Amino acid sequence: MAVWEFVQLVLTITMTYSLASQSCGNLTFHHLQSLDGHLFNDTLLSQRIVSDKVACLWWCFRDLQCNMVLHNPRSQRCRLYYSSVINGGVQEAGWQYYTVACSDFRVVNALSVMRNQTHVNVTCSNGFSYLPTTSGKCFHDKVPLDMGRCMQTLWIDPVPILKTPLPAPLSTGAEIIVQETSDGVGTPAIFLMNKDGSRVVFYLTVRWSPSYTVIYNTAADGAWRREVTSPSPVLTPNATSVLSIKITETQFLISGNDNTLFEVPRRLPLQETDTLQIDFKVIKRVQIKYS
């Protein structure tokens, strides 16, 4: 079974031409004439002035994130993209649309990619995982196929307040792991929410006084619902512990140091959240495990 090695840098650039495709080094570009005359902004990496199409494809070849090119010979503009785009554009005369073949598609943040006829094996950098995403597309027989990306799923010694977009949508079977230290004074918290915080799918905190209480809640359109509380010792002041949140079909299972301590209901759809925020005195490690 044939296997293709992921794109490697070479010192010389050779150009060959055909009616259906063009090659730059060891990247093959397909010209999709049906998308000519359209300008897209999604997944844009950069824009530059070039002398001709050959130079435009060469710049894409040099950028290890580039998988799509728009070239406008009238204005000598060259636009590089990290993914193939087929909608959301506007009509603008002169643009020619070229996309890298699926066999050459560069996966963002990947160390290497090996492809055969049935699957793709991707090696990601340390702290990154290969996850499905609709933000990476390539073309096979002129049909766009969704590709994965190497997305960061592990943070070591981040700032005390870590706020990050989710690497990929959460679903049943996912787990969030936080190694942290609380001081018994501040308000530790874990949020799963949308970008502006108006929809909070998961909120966990500890009230230290007058008595130790673990609190879970959700919010819709800025209005908080009824708290679910527990006296279980999820966090210990001034001690490093590992907090785990596992997602089941109906619940969040909250554990401290491998002991299940708190089970709370899922109230809002997981797809309403795209942001993870974690507030602790000290955060040693945060990891998201996808099923």
Side-chain angles (χ1 to χ4, degrees):
M1 185 175 292
V3 177
W4 292 271
E5 186 68 38
F6 188 52
V7 175
Q8 297 176 340
L9 283 177
V10 295
L11 296 178
T12 60
I13 306 297
T14 60
M15 303 297 295
T16 60
Y17 298 90
S18 70
L19 293 177
S21 64
Q22 296 185 161
S23 296
C24 180
N26 55 345
L27 279 187
T28 298
F29 292 86
H30 293 307
H31 182 191
L32 299 181
Q33 295 182 7
S34 62
L35 292 172
D36 283 356
H38 290 82
L39 179 63
F40 299 93
N41 290 315
D42 290 348
T43 82
L44 178 66
L45 289 169
S46 62
Q47 176 174 287
R48 62 182 66 244
I49 301 298
V50 298
S51 57
D52 53 29
K53 177 171 51 186
V54 173
C56 187
L57 298 183
W58 183 79
W59 280 110
C60 184
F61 173 80
R62 288 194 57 185
D63 189 326
L64 294 182
Q65 296 188 87
C66 181
N67 289 296
M68 169 185 149
V69 166
L70 287 186
H71 175 245
N72 193 322
R74 298 181 186 179
S75 60
Q76 295 189 323
R77 282 183 292 168
C78 173
R79 291 167 66 90
L80 310 183
Y81 299 78
Y82 69 75
S83 180
S84 305
V85 185
I86 60 174
N87 50 39
V90 296
Q91 289 188 338
E92 185 174 317
W95 290 105
Q96 298 173 353
Y97 187 109
Y98 297 88
T99 187
V100 170
C102 283
S103 59
D104 293 333
F105 195 85
R106 279 91 71 90
V107 178
V108 177
N109 296 319
L111 295 178
S112 66
V113 178
M114 297 288 290
R115 295 179 176 87
N116 63 26
Q117 294 178 1
T118 59
H119 65 281
V120 179
N121 292 325
V122 179
T123 302
C124 298
S125 304
N126 186 35
F128 288 72
S129 299
Y130 183 62
L131 300 173
T133 171
T134 57
S135 63
K137 292 182 185 292
C138 65
F139 279 84
H140 180 72
D141 294 332
K142 298 186 178 181
V143 176
L145 301 177
D146 290 340
M147 299 287 289
R149 294 182 66 186
C150 287
M151 306 291 284
Q152 186 172 8
T153 54
L154 175 65
W155 295 262
I156 302 295
D157 294 326
V159 295
I161 299 178
L162 171 66
K163 185 173 183 180
T164 180
L166 289 171
L170 293 173
S171 60
T172 297
E175 180 181 9
I176 299 170
I177 301 171
V178 182
Q179 184 178 8
E180 48 67 35
T181 302
S182 304
D183 60 7
V185 178
T187 305
I190 299 177
F191 298 83
L192 287 171
M193 57 188 177
N194 62 354
K195 191 174 299 184
D196 64 9
S198 62
R199 308 283 286 183
V200 180
V201 173
F202 177 91
Y203 170 69
L204 184 74
T205 189
V206 169
R207 183 179 296 133
W208 303 105
S209 62
S211 61
Y212 180 99
T213 306
V214 183
I215 299 169
Y216 161 78
N217 209 343
T218 57
D221 300 321
W224 290 94
R225 297 181 61 179
R226 180 180 60 84
E227 292 180 349
V228 178
T229 63
S230 170
S232 299
V234 171
L235 302 178
T236 301
N238 302 312
T240 300
S241 59
V242 178
L243 190 62
S244 166
I245 301 157
K246 294 181 180 180
I247 302 173
T248 72
E249 290 186 1
T250 59
Q251 292 181 311
F252 295 101
L253 305 181
I254 302 164
S255 303
N257 297 321
D258 294 326
N259 296 314
T260 300
L261 304 171
F262 198 21
E263 300 178 3
V264 295
R266 283 173 51 179
R267 293 172 172 172
L268 299 173
L270 283 175
Q271 60 264 30
E272 294 188 5
T273 184
D274 58 12
T275 301
L276 171 67
Q277 180 172 322
I278 299 178
D279 303 357
F280 281 93
K281 180 68 174 180
V282 176
I283 303 174
K284 296 298 295 179
R285 178 172 65 96
V286 175
Q287 184 175 13
I288 304 176
K289 292 184 177 181
Y290 288 85
S291 58

